[in-house]
Amino acid sequence: MKKIQEIGVLACLAAALGGIAWWSGRADTVEATGNSFAVKDVRVFDGESFIERATVVVRDGRIEAVGADARIPTGARVVDGKGKTLMPALIDAHTHNWGDAQRDALRFGVGSELEMMGAAQSLPGYRRHREAMRRTDEADVWSSGAAVTVPGGHGTEYGFPVPELKPGEDADAFVRARIIEGSDFIKLMIDDLHAYGGTQRMPTLPRSQIEASIAAARRQQRMSVAHVAAQDDALHAVNAGVDGLVHAFVDQPASDGMIAAMKANDTFMVPTLSVIAGFGRSDISARLAEDPQLQARLTAAQKASLRAQFPPAFPTQPKALDNAIESVRRLHAAGVDILAGTDAGNPGTAHGVSLHGELALLVRAGLTPSQALRAATSRPAARFGLKDRGRIAPGLRADLLLVEGDPSKDIQATRRIVTVWKNGYAQSADAPAAGQAASIQDADRLVSDFDGGDLSTRFGSGWQAASDSFMGGKSGAETRWTAGGAGKSKGAMRIEGDVAAGPAPWAGAMFSPGSGPMQPVNLGARQAITLKVRGTPGDYAIVMLHGEGQVAAVPIQVTGDWKAVRVSLAQFAGADLARVSAIGISNSRIGHFQVDLDDVAIE
Amino acid sequence: MNALVLDERTPHSVPSVARIYWLETRNEFLRMLRTPMFALPSLLFPLVFYVMFGVLLNRGSGGMGSYMLATYGVFGVMGASMFGFGVTVAMERSQGLLRLKRALPVPAGAYVFAKTGMAMMFVLMISLSLIALALLLAKVTLTPAQAAMLVVINLLGTLPFAALGLYVGTLCGANGAPAVLNMIMLPMAFLSGLWLPLSMLPAWLQKIAPVWPSYHLSQLALKVVGGDAGQAVGLHVAALLLVTAVFAVLARSRLAAAA
């Protein structure tokens, strides 16, 4: 063979192998990595509308193709979607995040959360997390960071220091400081409690500062959103140009003037019906905790949080939910943008799971299932500028939720979760198991008879005066031994203090039954708390701290004479009796009080 | 008389063709096994690399253990085949041994057959050792059928690389051959994803990976353990057959010209 022929043969071989490489590339194959797959023959909700039967192809964490004839690359992992519905991972447009929030959210198919006030130091972490495409078991978060509020106003009562806009201060500088901290949008706290109909009041932003803050946010190219509880405050904020109301107002249904103003300003509303249901102490959230479709993914902490109620001192507004639902009905009918949000982080809500409850509430308020799903996917993404999510379309991030059944017919189908994908990676399904708390000794029943001349207890880690002061409130109390107890016994415990007005005022005393203060114990085998009590006459509450720090309370009547009280543990509705960290007595009436306890026992 | 005696002896003195092939193969294998310069790197490199990357540096990923079982098996095939052919042919050519063999009454095919058999013996040893390491150290789960398939793929995979080695052996001198073979083998192994998964390479390198014969063999092996890119078996087999045929033909014509 001549040299030239040999080179020719080699060149042909090179060309052939090159052709194979070219053809392989063209043949549309995927490496079987964790974030590439296809779901075929599935009903698709693409963020806007339903497609009865389609195939969705995901490559390297992004959606590559959607459609009835989308071609599945050779070698792709294929998920059979028959009888199921694939939708974008949900977006919760009102949350407060700490602890396991993002994990809980994602396990329930909520891929993104919009935090409406939170710790500013979390903001850089949120940003890094949502910009990455790596495998994660947490939802992404956009956050307002610190809110615009006044000293003593809403947002200051949670026991951590927050920046405050003081009277006469420059709203522009305050807003700029938030943006420098990394706030994605600006949240205003507009609530003096007058919406709840009581006499209780709380400081709030004056209207001039509201207008200045909204204008400052606009000048600095940030959205502004407002916490409101009353329609008059809401109307003012809307007319001042706020981009959205992140609660429905609870005092009355939306008026015609309100509807017109929101339409004219293109203002959206995140009604947060889930948390508002709790203002009337409804059991809607507690029922979510019982839903068999949700059990496998619920943690004990989530269940406890769903069953938790606002403390007795928190203003009650029995018509709150009815008013809010009627507002949503009217606003939606008029074409105002409604977004799904839960206010998760508050009593009666839990991250992730509550958004499924919110969808059902929105349907109850007149949205079709398809509109409710839009309110939890494409609408919040469009309003908050989340460019790579909220829809199933080529190029978008593969944050996806696969459910059994057809949510266009039954919105509760979203609860039948099959698989959740984040950044194209499938998530594991089951809730992590909570640690088991220790039981107390069988003999440990009597806590204190106060006959020894002091406040000592037979077990646990003692009595402590407690009040709203640890959450920033102004109330206070003291405990001391006093001679002459119930039934001529030697002594009792006297709790004396003052309850000062605030968002959730209370004062009293707590006993920790665990080996260390606030160490949870399992009271599952016990029946009741018994005690003898006398004091300043009025309503008090026997309270229990349980689960991850939720509060349950049972009201009792106290008179000036000694009276034996027995509170069955079953009366603490929704309490996680397997993890009780404290029991105690609390008073929420404003003013001075004195109450004596004797012969306290856990039977 | 004499003629008669001769006639009687002839059938006994000429060994059977099968025996010639067997003896040539056995001796070639023993000779190479006793050549540390060849035997040690061929046998040990795949095993040492597998222990390093598949076991020691592998932080708890079960998939990596089986991925690398497949790819280091292919790496072993490349080493044993390319060096087993390339270097020995180059040496035998320059020492004149090849010409001597031609002069001997040995069937022409026995020379290539023996070398192929030798290479396959080495490949068999490498494959079995790797499977043992994977099962014992990397805790890879492998069915007997999967293990057998891997061995078969590696044994047949000897052919294209033997042909490539043979061709290089006809091109280079005894001193140049090891260098040239290394220059071909090492980059090709890396670019085919044999040392590190292809997904860790830049996208354009991933795209051109199918130009390398070793890519196609590794994809066949990866199909057995479930880590391949999902291309058709036929595509890989066709690429490997083409490589085998082209280099075999080229090498044959060069050897014929050299004689």
Side-chain angles (χ1 to χ4, degrees):
Chain A
M1 196 183 282
K2 287 194 189 120
K3 193 131 203 157
I4 188 83
Q5 285 171 315
E6 188 171 341
I7 290 170
V9 171
L10 283 172
C12 287
L13 176 65
L17 289 171
I20 286 174
W22 173 78
W23 192 81
S24 299
R26 212 187 120 271
D28 203 17
T29 53
V30 293
E31 284 278 315
T33 53
N35 58 350
S36 300
F37 61 94
V39 185
K40 69 162 189 182
D41 298 336
V42 71
R43 183 182 301 104
V44 172
F45 174 73
D46 67 2
E48 296 290 339
S49 51
F50 280 87
I51 307 165
E52 251 333 288
R53 191 182 157 125
T55 292
V56 174
V57 180
V58 170
R59 189 195 292 258
D60 299 333
R62 292 194 180 274
I63 297 160
E64 185 173 82
V66 190
D69 50 358
R71 227 164 56 75
I72 300 177
T74 330
R77 270 178 307 128
V78 177
V79 178
D80 184 9
K82 255 186 222 85
K84 303 183 177 75
T85 303
L86 187 70
M87 58 182 101
L90 305 175
I91 300 172
D92 189 334
H94 192 141
T95 65
H96 301 280
N97 293 52
W98 67 86
D100 287 331
Q102 288 94 298
R103 248 179 224 108
D104 289 346
L106 187 56
R107 204 169 51 250
F108 280 91
V110 175
S112 306
E113 295 193 313
L114 307 179
E115 187 184 41
M116 298 291 163
M117 190 182 103
Q121 59 268 31
S122 304
L123 297 173
Y126 290 160
R127 186 175 297 271
R128 274 196 304 277
H129 190 265
R130 70 192 188 221
E131 284 171 359
M133 283 296 289
R134 61 171 189 270
R135 187 191 290 274
T136 174
D137 62 352
E138 296 188 353
D140 293 325
V141 182
W142 276 258
S143 177
S144 72
V148 185
T149 191
V150 295
H154 185 36
T156 63
E157 69 270 44
Y158 298 110
F160 58 90
V162 298
E164 294 161 341
L165 182 59
K166 302 197 172 63
E169 277 187 353
D170 180 14
D172 208 77
F174 191 89
V175 167
R176 183 171 305 116
R178 303 289 77 73
I179 293 173
I180 289 166
E181 279 174 349
S183 292
D184 296 302
F185 42 86
I186 301 299
K187 163 118 185 256
L188 284 73
M189 293 295 196
I190 309 171
D191 192 353
D192 67 354
L193 302 182
H194 83 272
Y196 297 89
T199 54
Q200 222 177 6
R201 290 293 179 271
M202 176 168 67
T204 193
L205 289 165
R207 298 210 158 170
S208 57
Q209 283 187 329
I210 294 171
E211 289 154 14
S213 301
I214 293 171
R218 177 149 303 169
R219 255 197 313 282
Q220 296 172 51
Q221 273 112 47
R222 285 293 189 283
M223 286 173 73
S224 57
V225 296
H227 163 108
V228 289
Q231 175 149 239
D232 52 358
D233 288 339
L235 185 58
H236 171 257
V238 168
N239 285 327
V242 80
D243 292 283
L245 304 175
V246 290
H247 289 295
F249 28 90
V250 297
D251 53 342
Q252 44 192 246
S255 65
D256 290 344
M258 185 76 215
I259 295 167
M262 288 187 80
K263 271 196 72 91
N265 290 290
D266 192 26
T267 317
F268 64 83
M269 178 188 268
V270 186
T272 63
L273 301 173
S274 301
V275 78
I276 287 174
F279 296 166
R281 311 295 192 264
S282 95
D283 66 343
I284 288 175
S285 297
R287 288 211 303 271
L288 270 185
E290 313 301 332
D291 190 332
Q293 302 170 99
L294 300 169
Q295 288 307 309
R297 287 168 189 260
L298 276 174
T299 61
Q302 279 179 300
K303 285 187 205 177
S305 184
L306 284 171
R307 290 175 183 140
Q309 300 208 332
F310 280 95
F314 190 88
T316 305
Q317 168 53 277
K319 291 188 69 67
L321 184 61
D322 291 343
N323 287 338
I325 284 182
E326 187 53 32
S327 290
V328 172
R329 188 184 308 282
R330 293 180 188 178
L331 291 166
H332 173 65
V336 171
D337 220 352
I338 302 291
L339 311 183
T342 60
D343 208 356
N346 276 289
T349 66
H351 284 266
V353 59
S354 281
L355 195 58
H356 296 272
E358 185 75 19
L359 289 171
L361 285 167
L362 289 174
V363 168
R364 195 172 134 189
L367 279 71
T368 64
S370 177
Q371 288 165 340
L373 289 174
R374 259 177 248 166
T377 54
S378 59
R379 291 319 302 154
R383 282 297 194 153
F384 282 85
L386 320 185
K387 295 193 173 59
D388 63 349
R389 61 196 74 203
R391 288 180 300 122
I392 296 183
L396 269 64
R397 189 179 285 252
D399 290 2
L400 298 168
L401 168 58
L402 183 67
V403 302
E404 195 69 56
D406 184 359
S408 74
K409 298 199 167 63
D410 172 16
I411 193 65
Q412 291 209 8
T414 64
R415 302 176 189 189
R416 297 195 280 278
I417 298 171
V418 179
T419 309
V420 177
W421 287 271
K422 179 86 189 80
N423 302 343
Y425 293 103
Q427 298 292 309
S428 82
D430 293 335
Q436 188 76 31
S439 291
I440 52 177
Q441 294 286 318
D442 213 33
D444 290 339
R445 290 174 183 271
L446 180 68
V447 174
S448 302
D449 57 14
F450 303 111
D451 286 349
D454 58 22
L455 301 181
S456 64
T457 57
R458 300 289 177 93
F459 64 95
S461 31
W463 287 97
Q464 258 192 324
S467 75
D468 57 23
S469 61
F470 81 97
M471 294 274 275
K474 308 272 188 301
S475 310
E478 283 179 2
T479 54
R480 64 190 152 88
W481 186 81
T482 181
K488 299 194 178 78
S489 75
K490 280 184 192 150
M493 175 170 68
R494 173 154 297 174
I495 306 153
E496 193 168 359
D498 290 281
V499 176
W506 67 277
M510 304 293 285
F511 162 68
S512 298
S515 52
M518 305 308 276
Q519 195 83 47
V521 297
N522 188 346
L523 293 185
R526 298 303 171 93
Q527 304 297 319
I529 297 169
T530 61
L531 50 85
K532 297 185 176 107
V533 60
R534 72 169 178 195
T536 312
D539 292 322
Y540 290 71
I542 301 299
V543 293
M544 176 186 284
L545 283 178
H546 63 90
E548 308 290 308
Q550 290 86 5
V551 183
V554 176
I556 59 163
Q557 285 281 332
V558 171
T559 64
D561 297 319
W562 282 110
K563 185 171 87 165
V565 171
R566 184 176 196 279
V567 176
S568 162
L569 294 185
Q571 285 175 262
F572 292 97
D576 180 6
L577 295 177
R579 291 152 60 78
V580 175
S581 44
I583 59 166
I585 186 165
S586 108
N587 171 36
S588 295
R589 278 164 300 110
I590 311 297
H592 186 79
F593 75 97
Q594 171 187 311
V595 65
D596 296 341
L597 296 189
D598 203 356
D599 299 331
V600 181
I602 304 172
E603 308 212 309
Chain B
M1 283 287 280
N2 285 347
L4 264 179
V5 171
L6 270 175
D7 282 348
E8 265 174 4
R9 285 179 53 163
T10 306
H12 295 283
S13 64
V14 177
S16 75
V17 173
R19 187 168 160 76
I20 294 173
Y21 274 72
W22 155 243
L23 286 174
E24 277 285 319
T25 307
R26 191 191 73 139
N27 293 338
E28 182 73 12
F29 172 66
L30 288 175
R31 173 173 79 106
M32 294 311 281
L33 195 61
R34 291 164 188 162
T35 310
M37 197 177 79
F38 170 77
L40 284 182
S42 296
L43 289 175
L44 288 183
F45 275 6
L47 303 181
V48 169
F49 281 170
Y50 182 72
V51 169
M52 273 166 59
F53 293 109
V55 179
L56 298 179
L57 291 180
N58 172 13
R59 284 159 302 179
S61 159
M64 203 56 101
S66 53
Y67 181 96
M68 290 190 166
L69 167 63
T71 58
Y72 280 112
V74 171
F75 181 62
V77 169
M78 292 171 75
S81 312
M82 290 172 69
F83 282 86
F85 268 82
V87 178
T88 54
V89 171
M91 281 169 74
E92 285 157 13
R93 240 176 8 100
S94 44
Q95 289 164 349
L97 201 64
L98 193 59
R99 200 160 295 168
L100 176 66
K101 288 231 171 194
R102 287 276 169 75
L104 294 173
V106 177
Y111 179 70
V112 172
F113 182 91
K115 287 194 186 299
T116 309
M118 173 276 297
M120 283 188 173
M121 276 305 294
F122 274 92
V123 166
L124 183 66
M125 288 159 70
I126 293 165
S127 302
L128 294 178
S129 317
L130 273 175
I131 289 170
L133 284 177
L135 294 175
L136 295 175
L137 296 183
K139 308 279 181 245
V140 169
T141 50
L142 212 59
T143 65
Q146 280 176 311
M149 272 307 287
L150 276 180
V151 172
V152 168
I153 286 171
N154 286 349
L155 287 177
L156 293 177
T158 305
L159 297 175
F161 297 101
L164 175 56
L166 180 62
Y167 177 63
V168 173
T170 62
L171 278 180
C172 304
N175 292 326
V180 171
L181 288 166
N182 268 321
M183 296 272 281
I184 296 172
M185 182 178 88
L186 298 182
M188 187 155 78
F190 178 73
L191 294 173
S192 303
L194 301 190
W195 293 349
L196 297 170
L198 268 183
S199 55
M200 294 169 78
L201 301 186
W204 69 274
L205 285 179
Q206 296 183 31
K207 271 211 155 44
I208 62 158
V211 306
W212 313 116
S214 47
Y215 169 83
H216 295 285
L217 185 59
S218 74
Q219 286 298 312
L220 289 175
L222 283 169
K223 269 192 197 300
V224 175
V225 297
D228 68 312
Q231 288 140 339
V233 174
L235 177 83
H236 302 308
V237 172
L240 292 170
L241 282 176
L242 182 69
V243 168
T244 312
V246 166
F247 286 117
V249 167
L250 289 180
R252 197 184 138 92
S253 87
R254 279 195 154 267
L255 282 176

